[in-house]
Amino acid sequence: MSSARVGATRPKSQIKVSRTGMSNFGSPRAPKRAMSRNEVVVGDSVEAMLGLPEASVDLVFADPPYNLQLASRLTRPDQSVVDAVDDDWDKFADFAAYDAFTRDWLAAARRAMKPSATIFVIGSYHNIFRVGAIMQDLGFWILNDIVWRKNNPMPNFRGRRFTNAHETLIWAARDASARNYTFHYEALKAGNEDCQMRSDWLLPICSGGERLKDSAGRKTHPTQKPEALLARIILAASNPGDLVLDPFFGSGTTGAVARLLGRDYLGIEREQTYAEAARARIAAITPLPAVAVAPAPSKRNEPRIAFASVVEAGLVAPGVTLTDAKGHHKAVVRADGALAIGPIVGSIHKTGALVQGLPACNGWTFWHFESGAGLAPIDELRAVARARLRDAAE
């Protein structure tokens, strides 16, 4: 959604265009057809998604119509016209019609999602709150709301509102029981100067050479999303070879980025002109080498190692004294893998929390041993134990 989607609300009685081509409003649906990966399907998004096998999609990105309700054309102070979104595909008879449309496509997307799949839906203040409520009603489990802050938003020309400088994404699992959904926490943190990736993303809108234009120099699609936004989403919540579904494909940003990053895509777009532009755009993409997109190792997926196993493997001997990084606290390693601090016996985590007066502690990073080159966290010994397990399994 470009920052041109800014408008005033008008009474429902003045909204005169309903969504042509959508089954909710009386238009016939196209017959079901088989769909394959890496394809752009021209047709109704709900019908196309209902034609997919159940539980077949790994990630959904949806940029649905925002229902902007533009009452009249927007002008700048110099009376030049703002290139706002006034296409028929963004117009609905009333809020009830928009809600019915939203409920239908979300239900169809949820049906196509694997139990471990997640969905990102982007919107503005015009629609995102309605979308979020419907998602919860359908059983989706919201994981985050993400604010896309635009570092180059369109000004508010009339001076009657705050400058609309962001859009909101809702990230949700298929249901509340989902536990094994994909989230590359460590990779995102490593790429963010070893800081946790926050839920406010400062990214530019789509402009310059990235913006698709027709032969006359006009924008091919009014709400083309920046590739950086889709790259962050796809890298965060999918793996190479996964199937990424976009039911409102538009100019094909999702497909272009998915192909670049070694994912498969399936795009659904009702406008033939947009679909053709998307196909040409994706065909020009050269995928990155596998080493550039391979998932980073995740501690969550590594085998669980108990400190007792480290002791049993001879990586640290019973009777050795462990300290914190500054040498303020000391504990003795017991033969059973527990630590002793005077008469107190407990796990590496419990004793680490106790000496600090904290409710919890990661003992693997708190306690240190003398490595010969100085103090090192016992987590290094756990890494050695894991490496031995991998070698033994090969």
Side-chain angles (χ1 to χ4, degrees), residues 71 124 140 285 388:
S124 68
F140 288 98
I285 299 294
R388 289 183 179 179

Side-chain angles (χ1 to χ4, degrees), residues 38 59 61 206 210 224-236 238-242 244 246 249 251-265 278 281-288 293:
N38 303 315
L59 174 65
F61 172 78
C206 181
E210 185 180 322
Q224 182 179 335
K225 291 298 181 289
E227 292 180 2
L229 178 69
L230 269 298
R232 185 169 294 184
I233 289 169
I234 291 173
L235 287 170
S238 70
N239 295 304
D242 279 355
V244 183
D246 186 336
F249 206 54
S251 60
T253 302
T254 301
V257 176
R259 177 171 168 78
L260 180 72
L261 299 177
R263 277 70 169 172
D264 291 336
Y265 68 88
R281 177 185 185 184
I282 296 168
I285 299 294
T286 300
L288 292 171
V293 298

Side-chain angles (χ1 to χ4, degrees), residues 15-77:
I15 301 176
K16 58 184 180 181
V17 182
S18 65
R19 281 186 65 82
T20 57
M22 302 304 299
S23 64
N24 297 334
F25 306 99
S27 298
R29 291 188 186 275
K32 289 187 178 181
R33 56 181 294 277
M35 286 170 283
S36 60
R37 289 174 175 242
N38 303 315
E39 181 182 4
V40 182
V41 177
V42 178
D44 179 281
S45 61
V46 175
E47 177 66 22
M49 285 190 285
L50 291 177
L52 292 173
E54 290 188 38
S56 60
V57 172
D58 298 288
L59 174 65
V60 179
F61 172 78
D63 181 15
Y66 285 12
N67 191 25
L68 296 180
Q69 312 145 52
L70 291 179
S72 60
R73 70 178 188 173
L74 300 177
T75 58
R76 300 180 178 87

Side-chain angles (χ1 to χ4, degrees), residues 184-197 232 235 296:
H184 295 295
Y185 168 82
E186 289 89 354
L188 292 170
K189 183 177 179 181
N192 194 40
E193 302 295 324
D194 288 325
C195 295
Q196 289 185 340
M197 183 64 72
R232 185 169 294 184
L235 287 170

Side-chain angles (χ1 to χ4, degrees), residues 117-183:
T118 58
I119 180 172
F120 287 80
V121 185
I122 189 168
S124 68
Y125 66 88
H126 303 87
N127 71 322
I128 198 64
F129 304 106
R130 309 185 76 85
V131 170
I134 292 170
M135 291 180 76
Q136 290 180 315
D137 288 344
L138 291 175
F140 288 98
W141 186 254
I142 295 178
L143 301 170
N144 276 115
D145 65 324
I146 298 165
V147 174
W148 166 29
R149 291 177 53 215
K150 304 171 183 178
N151 59 11
N152 51 348
M154 178 180 290
N156 183 271
F157 296 110
R158 294 174 179 170
R160 300 289 294 172
R161 303 183 183 184
F162 296 106
T163 298
N164 186 27
H166 78 277
E167 293 181 32
T168 301
L169 296 100
I170 295 175
W171 181 39
R174 199 181 74 167
D175 54 55
S177 65
R179 294 291 183 271
N180 61 336
Y181 57 85
T182 299
F183 180 53

Side-chain angles (χ1 to χ4, degrees), residues 331-390:
V332 177
V333 177
R334 290 167 44 97
D336 56 10
L339 299 186
I341 304 174
I344 299 172
V345 175
S347 69
I348 58 174
H349 310 297
K350 182 177 179 180
T351 53
L354 180 65
V355 298
Q356 297 177 89
L358 298 175
C361 169
N362 182 350
W364 291 108
T365 56
F366 177 76
W367 292 113
H368 288 60
F369 70 102
E370 180 56 58
S371 67
L375 290 176
I378 58 174
D379 200 26
E380 293 188 4
L381 302 177
R382 179 170 62 166
V384 174
R386 281 178 170 151
R388 289 183 179 179
L389 282 178
R390 286 193 294 269

